[in-house]
Amino acid sequence: MAAWNASPARLREDANAEEDAALGAYRDRLVVELAQNAADAAAGAGVPGRLLLRLEDDPAGGPGRLLAANTGAPLTAAGVEGLATLRASAKRDEAGSVGRFGVGFAAVLAVTDDPSVRSSTGAVRFSRNGSAELIRTRGSVGAVAELTARDGHAPVLRLPFPAPGAAAVPTGYDTVVELPLRDAAARAFVADQLAALPAGAADVLLLALPGLAEVVVEVPGGPRARVGEVGERWRVLHRRGRLDPADVAGRGVEDRRRLGWSLTWALPRTPQVASPGVVCAPTPTDEDLPWPALLVATFPLGPDRRRIAPGRASEVLLDAAAAAYGDLLAEVAAEGGDALALVPYGAAVGRVDAELRRRVLDRVRDVPLLVCVETVDGLPLPVRPGSAVALTGPGADDPALLAALAPVLAGLVPAPRRDDRLLTELGVTRMGLAEVLDVLPGGDGPTARALFAALAPLAAADPVAREAMSGLAVPLLDGRRVHGVRDLVLLDAGRAADALGDGRARVFAPFGLRVVDPEVALGAARDLLVRLGAREGGAWAVLTDPAVRAAVVASPDAEDPEEVADAVLSLVAGVVLPDGPSGAVDRAAVDRVRRTLPWLSDLALPDEDGELTPAGALVLPGTLAERALDPAEVGRVDPNLLREWGSGVLEAVGVLSGPALADLPEVDLTDVEAARDLGLADFGEYVEDVWGDVLDDPLEGTAAAAAGAVRDLDLVVAQWPQLLASLAADPAGVRALTEPWVLGPHRRTGHTAWWLRHHGPAPSVTRDPAGTAPGWLPAAPGWTAQLPAPVRRVLGVLPDLTGAGAGDLEGLLDLSARRAPDAADLLVLWSVLGRLAGQAGPLAPERLAALDTRGEPVVADAADVVVADDPAWAQRTDLGPRLLVPGAARVADLLDLDLASDRADGHLEHPAGRERAVPAAAFALVPGLAPSWTHVGALTCDGAAVGFWVVDGHVVATSPAAAARGLAHAAGAWWARGPLARLLEDPAAAAAVLAGELPGLGRDPSPPVGSPGAALRAP
């Protein structure tokens, strides 16, 4: 009062300062400040702090009052002095005290004008009205005037008064603060703050004020709420330290004395508990921190206690907070929690948030905050980001895939897509599925199977993921591990696994055989491998692998040929003995292996003398092969080998019991050496005879699609009838004998049929005694009668001449040149020759049967023979012996002969003639007929007399009969020359001619089928 009386400005200053605190910085901190005082009192007494907040009704209907009772040190004279002064706290020298500014109690003025405090040491009250009355009665003129200027609004917390009527201290507590509420608004404000305490606000107080252990809330009509044991709901981490004096340089005098600092991170243990989203220093500030954890730290604050003061001390605490937060994340990760979700990342909401985010990101790069997918004895395995690997792209969110990858990919951590950028920021190695699978060291069989099973659904659903799996590491049966699935072999259960057991798979490993470990290829894992290109199958799938062929070819020079033979024969047994060694041989399987894998005949096996010999050069004792083949070229198989494996297995690898058949899907006609290795005798001669003209055309290629062949025919020295009968009884043998080989559009005689015709047991062309073939053909051997007709035809047995094929032409021409047939047979032979000229290879006979100048058969040197181009040139008897054939140009090329037009100029001479019209009836017979022809008295071609000629489509002829031939030739209706001659000679006979020739009236006016030679009778 003396100060105010002496200086009314001091009164004004105190009133404004109190008002600023009550209505500004401390306007909403009533409960916080009460709790802070309670915590400091408990700390001063060394007892657990307990705070009771009780809202009571007023019996007289007023707004009621708030009681705040606490345990701890009682009120002292120094404490009263601290309450009654501004910014002169009595706690400045108390270590660990929270209230150190001397302003906080002003928060009560937000709800009351008459607060009082009672303790075991006494009671004190403050009163706005009491202070105003004292100024009026004891104040100076200036002080009263100032009070009047302020509308009677005096400071409350400057003048303490005795409080004999203050509320009693509740049982169990040491001090009580009584706040008579100013009005209904004040009561509502208090009710809202009390309601927030059980909902989480009390937890923040307990965490921010370590001296406070319990908060109890009582409101009228509501249950009593107690909040304590904060450690059950929050994971708490404490840190303490001291500042360097240099860190607080520039701070206030009292702040420079406070060098100790502390901080606490608290993380909710359940989603139902939330952080307040602000920094507490130690009570809540206005510094936003929207993190999942609460930070409580003794940051230096500004005068309003709302903001953290910038400076070195704050930097030190931010560094310490970042380091402690990293430790907190490590604790979470060590227990298997999702620490990554607790890392703050993204845009900050303020300066403190930004500074702390930056520090935390720098710190946690070296903190084991990530939890590996793999566990150790069921416990989580934390890893630092720099040592972690995260899958990106397809499969990154697949728990089953991650679990399968974990045992073989160290440091694998889950990588939710929401964390992609954060993981990259932290330095986690990001790898796509292809990269991961490419670097995997692999695992044992069960580990690999689990991985493959996890990959299977992804491969089925996502083509991109399937492509990424192309480098998958796969364990093999021989103990190796390879990257890449395509063309790996998946064994079926049973015989296949037995066939490669006992280490046999190792025999083929040097040659590239890659058989998947059967322990891996089960269930979904097998489905994946098939989808990625592995070949399913049993022993057959292995047997057809190129590696087995390579091992067979190398078997004669192998370090242990017997080991190779055992492995190959075991595979073959797995194919041809489906029920095991004691079961019956599958003859169809034997034939399949023998025909489609002819290279197995190169397998080195011992003969009866123990010498290594290719299987294809061995025979089974007592068989047709032993009787028919040259004993100097083949030997008997080792009897011990025969007893061990049986005849079926040995036959399948090429040991001979009869004719050796081979299915050859493709044969390079230019690779004579390869064909020789396949046992195709005289292959070079065959290609030259049959395919020489085709191979001259590079557009056709050189690989013929062959139906099949019989091997080693040149080794047959006896038993031909029996051998051919054996082939005829086998559908594959019939196919090898009868089906042509194909190259592009060309179909030519196969090798087996060609060889038999040129080197076989019978003449190349013979006649079937039961047929109608002409007698100038030799009769077929009697034993051929027992063979099927298709096989007899391959051997050149003809039932009739018109049924001859391309393979018969060479023989027919040779036989006809030995003894000229009659003209009728020659014309039939030429008809066949014209029909087959495009199907046969080039022929170059030295002598040919032809027609001489009189139209009589004659045998002449081929160089003297010409081929008539057409019926007009067939009139030229002066050019030499002639062949009268359809398809003259093709036949001339086939036989390397001249056309008639090649030997003459075709110069015509004739006197002036008279043009004659073609009768109208002739057009009904041949619609495309020329309308007229020229009748001349004589006609020569190069001086030789001819009956007609066609010049630019117009016919010149010496007679109506000759004109008829010319008109028919020009119209392409050679068959109509006879009826046309009758019409030209006697137009009046039109009705009779047409009646016999037009469709529906007589014969069909089309060329006689199968007898073009008859249409080329000599003129």
Side-chain angles (χ1 to χ4, degrees):
M1 282 300 297
W4 289 348
N5 286 337
S7 175
R10 171 68 183 273
L11 170 61
R12 179 184 180 189
E13 180 182 357
D14 285 349
N16 286 338
E18 185 182 272
E19 191 174 63
D20 286 345
L23 301 180
Y26 292 85
R27 66 189 179 279
D28 56 357
R29 300 173 65 88
L30 171 64
V31 171
V32 170
E33 295 300 330
L34 292 173
Q36 178 177 293
N37 288 335
D40 285 344
V47 299
R50 294 186 294 113
L51 173 65
L52 168 66
L53 295 171
R54 178 185 294 162
L55 179 62
E56 295 181 345
D57 292 332
D58 182 0
R65 65 177 180 173
L66 173 65
L67 296 182
N70 62 268
T71 58
L75 185 64
T76 64
V80 173
E81 184 179 359
L83 294 177
T85 57
L86 190 64
R87 298 199 177 279
S89 174
K91 307 172 187 176
R92 65 181 176 181
D93 297 323
E94 294 180 16
S97 67
V98 179
R100 61 186 186 277
F101 292 93
V103 182
F105 195 67
V108 302
L109 301 182
V111 297
T112 186
D113 292 329
D114 297 283
S116 63
V117 180
R118 178 176 294 282
S119 188
S120 60
T121 54
V124 65
R125 70 182 180 87
F126 299 89
S127 170
R128 188 180 304 280
N129 292 334
S131 296
E133 182 61 27
L134 190 61
I135 294 171
R136 291 188 187 99
T137 59
R138 296 180 54 182
S140 65
V141 173
V144 173
E146 181 61 35
L147 180 65
T148 303
R150 295 185 58 81
D151 297 329
H153 195 90
V156 178
L157 300 178
R158 285 294 174 272
L159 303 179
F161 296 93
V169 178
T171 302
Y173 295 89
D174 299 308
T175 302
V176 63
V177 177
E178 178 185 3
L179 304 177
L181 300 177
R182 182 182 299 117
D183 50 29
R187 181 183 178 93
F189 173 80
V190 169
D192 289 343
Q193 291 220 334
L194 295 183
L197 291 172
D203 276 0
V204 176
L205 291 177
L206 294 173
L207 291 167
L209 305 170
L212 195 62
E214 173 189 271
V215 176
V216 176
V217 178
E218 296 178 357
V219 296
R224 184 174 187 268
R226 177 186 176 279
V227 181
E229 294 80 34
V230 70
E232 295 178 358
R233 297 180 297 283
W234 296 76
R235 178 193 299 275
V236 180
L237 182 146
H238 300 289
R239 290 287 185 272
R240 293 183 177 276
R242 286 188 65 79
L243 297 171
D244 189 276
D247 296 333
V248 293
R251 298 291 297 169
V253 173
E254 294 187 11
D255 281 346
R256 291 200 300 271
R257 295 175 181 172
R258 292 175 174 266
L259 296 180
W261 60 261
S262 65
L263 66 84
T264 298
W265 279 105
L267 183 68
R269 294 186 183 276
T270 64
Q272 290 74 26
V273 181
S275 169
V278 295
V279 177
C280 292
T283 52
T285 69
D286 287 347
E287 298 287 2
D288 290 327
L289 194 69
W291 292 21
L294 166 67
L295 172 61
V296 180
T298 55
F299 285 104
L301 298 176
D304 62 356
R305 297 192 67 191
R306 292 284 183 168
R307 295 287 179 181
I308 295 175
R312 179 59 189 162
S314 294
E315 298 292 325
V316 170
L317 277 169
L318 286 172
D319 289 340
Y325 195 70
D327 295 341
L328 178 67
L329 296 183
E331 286 186 10
V332 172
E335 296 179 7
D338 184 6
L340 187 63
L342 304 177
V343 176
Y345 189 68
V349 298
R351 179 183 63 85
V352 174
D353 185 19
E355 289 292 328
L356 200 51
R357 283 172 188 258
R358 178 177 60 80
R359 286 172 166 83
V360 167
L361 283 178
D362 289 342
R363 166 69 176 168
V364 297
R365 289 187 178 94
D366 296 320
V367 171
L369 63 91
L370 302 177
V371 179
C372 293
V373 177
E374 184 183 17
T375 60
V376 177
D377 297 329
L379 299 176
L381 183 62
V383 62
R384 291 175 173 82
S387 302
V389 176
L391 186 61
T392 185
D397 297 327
D398 187 338
L401 174 58
L402 296 179
L405 282 171
V408 290
L409 186 60
L412 179 65
V413 298
R417 293 189 180 182
R418 71 170 193 271
D419 297 327
D420 276 350
R421 295 180 60 188
L422 175 57
L423 290 171
T424 303
E425 177 76 24
L426 294 177
V428 175
T429 300
R430 311 303 305 279
M431 300 179 71
L433 185 59
E435 296 174 279
V436 168
L437 297 180
D438 191 50
V439 302
L440 279 185
D444 56 15
T447 300
R449 183 170 70 246
L451 172 59
F452 297 171
L455 288 170
L458 189 61
D462 189 342
V464 175
R466 188 161 59 248
E467 181 64 25
M469 299 175 198
S470 59
L472 190 64
V474 183
L476 301 184
L477 180 60
D478 56 28
R480 294 179 296 154
R481 188 176 308 279
V482 296
H483 285 271
V485 180
R486 187 163 298 282
D487 293 329
L488 297 185
V489 178
L490 296 172
L491 295 181
D492 291 336
R495 296 286 289 135
D498 293 343
L500 287 176
D502 299 327
R504 293 189 182 99
R506 289 193 298 273
V507 172
F508 306 112
F511 303 97
L513 179 65
R514 303 189 302 169
V515 179
V516 179
D517 183 351
E519 190 177 4
V520 173
L522 299 174
R526 186 183 188 90
D527 296 340
L528 172 73
L529 295 173
V530 171
R531 189 179 296 277
L532 296 180
R535 294 188 293 124
E536 280 192 296
W540 176 257
V542 181
L543 193 59
T544 54
D545 192 282
V548 176
R549 181 171 185 173
V552 168
V553 172
S555 62
D557 301 318
E559 183 176 344
D560 188 350
E562 291 185 3
E563 184 181 47
V564 177
D566 176 74
V568 174
L569 292 172
S570 180
L571 285 173
V572 173
V575 174
V576 304
L577 298 173
D579 298 324
S582 60
V585 174
D586 184 342
R587 294 306 309 179
V590 171
D591 292 341
R592 179 190 182 196
V593 173
R594 185 178 58 194
R595 291 196 312 271
T596 59
L597 306 178
W599 45 265
L600 283 172
S601 63
D602 293 330
L603 179 66
L605 298 176
D607 63 12
E608 62 182 349
D609 297 323
E611 296 293 330
L612 286 180
T613 306
L618 294 173
V619 298
L620 293 173
T623 61
L624 175 60
E626 184 182 32
R627 296 191 300 271
L629 300 182
D630 186 351
E633 298 292 336
V634 297
R636 285 189 174 188
V637 72
D638 180 6
N640 292 326
L641 199 67
L642 178 60
R643 281 192 295 271
E644 179 180 0
W645 293 103
S647 60
V649 173
L650 295 179
E651 281 185 82
V653 298
V655 177
L656 299 171
S657 62
L661 291 168
D663 283 342
L664 304 173
E666 188 174 85
V667 178
D668 187 346
L669 297 174
T670 63
D671 194 345
V672 176
E673 183 176 349
R676 185 183 300 115
D677 292 341
L678 290 173
L680 303 183
D682 304 299
F683 191 75
E685 181 185 349
Y686 161 70
V687 172
E688 183 178 354
D689 279 358
V690 178
W691 296 99
D693 61 326
V694 175
L695 295 180
D696 289 339
D697 183 357
L699 297 178
E700 299 296 351
T702 61
V710 180
R711 306 174 57 209
D712 300 321
L713 288 169
D714 55 334
L715 301 183
V716 179
V717 294
Q719 304 278 320
W720 271 112
Q722 294 85 346
L723 193 72
L724 290 169
S726 175
L727 287 171
D730 185 344
V734 173
R735 188 167 63 253
L737 288 168
T738 61
E739 287 193 7
W741 287 13
V742 179
L743 176 58
H746 307 285
R747 297 169 61 85
R748 297 287 171 83
T749 302
H751 172 269
T752 301
W754 172 87
W755 196 92
L756 289 174
R757 299 293 285 274
H758 288 74
H759 306 286
S764 63
V765 180
T766 58
R767 59 181 171 83
D768 188 341
T772 59
W776 53 272
L777 296 177
W783 53 266
T784 63
Q786 307 303 317
L787 300 175
V791 176
R792 292 203 302 273
R793 284 293 297 110
V794 168
L795 296 176
V797 179
L798 295 177
D800 58 74
L801 196 56
T802 59
D808 301 316
L809 292 182
E810 185 176 7
L812 288 172
L813 292 175
D814 180 61
L815 290 171
S816 65
R818 296 180 190 177
R819 187 183 69 181
D822 60 29
D825 284 340
L826 272 182
L827 290 173
V828 174
L829 173 61
W830 292 340
S831 174
V832 172
L833 185 62
R835 173 170 56 85
L836 300 176
Q839 303 176 29
L843 302 174
E846 294 181 358
R847 296 178 64 78
L848 283 169
L851 295 178
D852 64 10
T853 57
R854 303 184 311 276
E856 297 296 331
V858 63
V859 176
D861 289 339
D864 298 331
V865 176
V866 298
V867 179
D869 300 60
D870 54 41
W873 283 100
Q875 302 172 95
R876 294 290 299 272
T877 62
D878 59 314
L879 299 178
R882 298 157 297 156
L883 297 186
L884 306 179
V885 298
R890 295 196 309 271
V891 174
D893 287 341
L894 175 69
L895 302 180
D896 196 21
L897 301 179
D898 288 338
L899 289 170
S901 60
D902 294 332
R903 295 189 181 181
D905 294 331
H907 178 67
L908 293 180
E909 292 184 353
H910 58 81
R914 193 175 90 189
E915 187 170 359
R916 296 196 176 191
V918 176
F923 298 107
L925 189 66
V926 183
L929 212 57
S932 63
W933 61 283
T934 299
H935 192 174
V936 297
L939 180 63
T940 62
C941 180
D942 300 323
V946 294
F948 72 93
W949 210 264
V950 180
V951 182
D952 296 331
H954 185 73
V955 176
V956 180
T958 59
S959 66
R965 293 195 295 274
L967 290 168
H969 169 49
W974 187 245
W975 62 270
R977 63 194 182 283
L980 285 175
R982 293 175 60 192
L983 288 174
L984 294 180
E985 291 172 352
D986 184 7
V993 172
L994 295 179
E997 299 296 338
L998 288 181
L1001 301 176
R1003 63 175 296 280
D1004 187 342
S1006 58
V1009 177
S1011 57
L1016 287 171
R1017 298 286 182 183

